[in-house]
């Protein structure tokens, strides 16, 4: 309303001003005079402007970040000041106001995920039967480090084991984690120890710098020196049943290859059958006699009475006999 009522004065019109021009913006005084002493209703409530041009009622919501979202715990206004309806919860779930900067965690209570993993973490099951969350129930490299940090930074803590007692694996079908990874993502724990670093986990959580590296070794059974002189040592990787199956398969496949070679028109048997069908002996003799009368030179029929004889006299080294089939299958 103030803006509309002052449009006739031309306060909003742009002026070309220079650096040496000392006159003030007259339209600003007109706008300020129009809004002083008025009350306006806005989204945040009534806005009252005093004689100095400032708002007389200012109010803010006080928000507290808890677990995974912001929660309203109170309000602040220039009249009632700070008014809290709920206590402030600090990181780790602590209610006591932390003191110091950077080198202390006073007032924090941390929930630390853990699973037994010697020598990194041992569980004293004999002492802690019903409640394994107590710090004295655990010992090892990482529990000793946590104990030292708690003494130095002045925080309290408890250990939390995952329900499935697993470290944390990702299920691609359900797109969910299990173990300590699930507890971290579900905010059941604040941090975890005894969890190795890999690329998939790094996409979801942050890791500290690695302070321990391990190597994996394989132990294989070694035969005694007495058995090293066995001439059939190459059979040791497999059991006799496996070798029998391999030899049986070789025999069966060799038989099939030989059989298919017999039935194929490109094998010796197939060529012989083909010769019997396309050229009878009488035809070969008649064709040979015709060529002799005409004085023709022929190489293929001058030594053989018919094609069947020629096939019989061909080299048999390339034939796929059963012996050759076994050799090809076993070596190829």
């Amino acid at each position: 309303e103030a803006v509309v009522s002052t449009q006739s004065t031309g306060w909003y019109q742009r002026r070309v001003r220079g650096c040496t021009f000392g006159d003030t913006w007259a339209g600003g005084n007109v706008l300020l005079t129009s809004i002083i002493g008025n009350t306006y209703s806005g989204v945040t409530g009534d806005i009252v402007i005093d004689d100095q041009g400032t708002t007389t009622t200012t109010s803010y919501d006080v928000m507290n970040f808890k677990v995974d979202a912001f929660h309203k715990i109170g309000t602040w206004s220039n009249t009632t000041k700070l008014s809290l309806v709920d206590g402030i919860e600090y990181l780790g779930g602590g209610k006591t106001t932390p003191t110091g900067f950077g080198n202390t965690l006073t007032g924090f209570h941390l929930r630390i995920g853990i699973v037994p993993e010697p020598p990194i973490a041992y569980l004293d099951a004999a002492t802690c039967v019903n409640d394994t969350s107590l710090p004295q129930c655990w010992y090892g490299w990482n529990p000793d480090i946590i104990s030292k940090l708690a003494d130095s930074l002045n925080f309290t803590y408890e250990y939390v084991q995952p329900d499935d007692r697993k470290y944390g694996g990702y299920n691609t079908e359900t797109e969910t984690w299990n173990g300590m990874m699930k507890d971290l993502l579900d905010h059941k724990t604040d941090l975890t120890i005894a969890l190795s670093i890999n690329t998939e986990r790094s996409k979801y959580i942050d890791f500290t710098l690695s302070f321990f590296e391990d190597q994996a070794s394989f132990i294989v059974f070694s035969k005694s020196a007495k058995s090293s002189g066995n001439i059939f040592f190459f059979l040791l990787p497999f059991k006799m049943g496996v070798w029998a199956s391999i030899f049986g398969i070789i025999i069966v496949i060799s038989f099939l290859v030989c059989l298919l070679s017999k039935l194929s028109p490109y094998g010796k048997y197939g060529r012989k059958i083909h010769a019997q069908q396309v050229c009878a002996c009488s035809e070969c003799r008649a064709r040979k006699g015709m060529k002799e009368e005409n004085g023709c030179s022929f190489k293929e029929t001058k030594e053989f009475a018919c094609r069947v004889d020629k096939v019989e006299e061909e080299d048999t080294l390339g034939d796929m006999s059963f012996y050759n089939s076994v050799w090809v299958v076993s070596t190829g």
Side-chain angles (χ1 to χ4, degrees):
E1 295 177 358
V3 174
V4 174
S5 64
T6 56
Q7 285 183 353
S8 59
T9 63
W11 65 271
Y12 56 89
Q13 294 180 357
R14 181 179 179 183
R15 294 184 181 181
V16 179
R17 304 178 61 85
C19 297
T20 59
F21 193 81
D23 194 10
T24 59
W25 176 42
N29 292 327
V30 175
L31 179 61
L32 181 60
T33 303
S34 300
I35 64 176
I36 285 177
N38 293 317
T39 302
Y40 307 96
S41 297
V43 178
T44 59
D46 293 336
I47 302 175
V48 180
I49 310 299
D50 60 13
D51 295 340
Q52 303 298 322
T54 59
T55 58
T56 59
T57 57
T58 304
S59 178
Y60 300 97
D61 290 335
V62 179
M63 310 297 293
N64 185 197
F65 185 80
K66 299 180 180 180
V67 184
D68 59 351
F70 285 96
H71 300 270
K72 181 179 178 181
I73 61 173
T75 59
W76 184 94
S77 67
N78 61 342
T79 55
T80 61
K81 303 304 179 183
L82 181 63
S83 175
L84 296 179
V85 295
D86 192 10
I88 300 176
E89 182 177 313
Y90 299 94
L91 293 178
K95 298 291 185 178
T96 305
T97 304
T99 60
F101 299 92
N103 60 350
T104 180
L105 292 176
T106 302
F108 285 86
H109 182 79
L110 303 181
R111 299 162 299 173
I112 302 175
I114 193 173
V115 292
E117 178 62 21
I120 298 175
Y122 295 88
L123 173 62
D124 189 357
T127 304
C128 302
V129 179
N130 298 324
D131 187 6
T132 61
S133 64
L134 300 177
Q136 57 266 28
C137 295
W138 296 87
Y139 63 97
W141 293 350
N142 284 1
D144 291 346
I145 294 175
I146 295 297
S147 178
K148 182 62 177 178
L149 291 175
D151 294 338
S152 301
L153 301 179
N154 195 27
F155 65 86
T156 59
Y157 63 96
E158 63 178 301
Y159 287 114
V160 178
Q161 290 193 82
D163 296 334
D164 53 11
R165 301 298 192 268
K166 294 182 179 180
Y167 295 96
Y170 186 71
N171 189 323
T172 56
E173 296 182 357
T174 60
E175 297 183 350
T176 57
W177 289 88
N178 60 9
M180 291 190 293
M181 281 291 300
K182 183 178 186 300
D183 288 350
L184 274 175
L185 297 176
D186 292 344
H187 304 284
K188 294 181 179 179
T189 57
D190 302 303
L191 60 95
T192 184
I193 57 178
L195 186 63
S196 59
I197 302 174
N198 61 37
T199 304
E200 190 66 26
R201 291 171 180 168
S202 299
K203 297 178 182 179
Y204 295 85
I205 63 174
D206 294 326
F207 286 93
T208 63
L209 294 177
S210 178
F211 61 89
F212 173 75
E213 295 183 0
D214 193 11
Q215 296 180 350
S217 300
F218 294 94
I219 301 177
V220 296
F221 176 74
S222 177
K223 291 289 186 179
S224 63
K226 181 178 180 180
S227 62
S228 61
N230 186 5
I231 60 175
F232 298 103
F233 68 93
F234 58 90
L235 298 176
L236 296 178
F238 301 111
K239 295 182 178 180
M240 293 306 299
V242 177
W243 284 116
S245 300
I246 294 175
F247 290 134
I249 291 175
I250 292 176
I251 297 300
V252 172
I253 295 179
S254 300
F255 173 78
L256 293 177
V257 171
C258 181
L259 177 62
L260 293 177
S261 177
K262 297 292 185 182
L263 299 178
S264 172
Y266 297 98
K268 181 177 180 180
Y269 182 78
R271 293 197 305 272
K272 185 175 180 181
I273 298 298
H274 179 72
Q276 292 176 350
Q277 292 177 348
V278 300
C279 181
C281 294
S282 58
E283 290 185 43
C284 289
R285 288 193 295 268
R287 198 173 298 168
K288 181 179 179 180
M290 186 181 298
K291 288 187 177 183
E292 289 177 348
E293 292 177 358
N294 296 331
C296 296
S297 175
F298 53 89
K299 298 180 180 180
E300 295 183 354
T301 58
K302 66 181 181 179
E303 296 179 357
F304 300 99
C306 63
R307 295 185 180 182
V308 178
D309 294 337
K310 184 178 180 180
V311 172
E312 291 288 350
E313 295 294 332
E314 286 180 350
D315 185 14
T316 59
L317 293 178
D319 294 339
M320 192 59 67
S321 62
F322 180 75
Y323 172 79
N324 292 340
S325 299
V326 173
W327 177 256
V328 171
V329 172
S330 60
T331 58

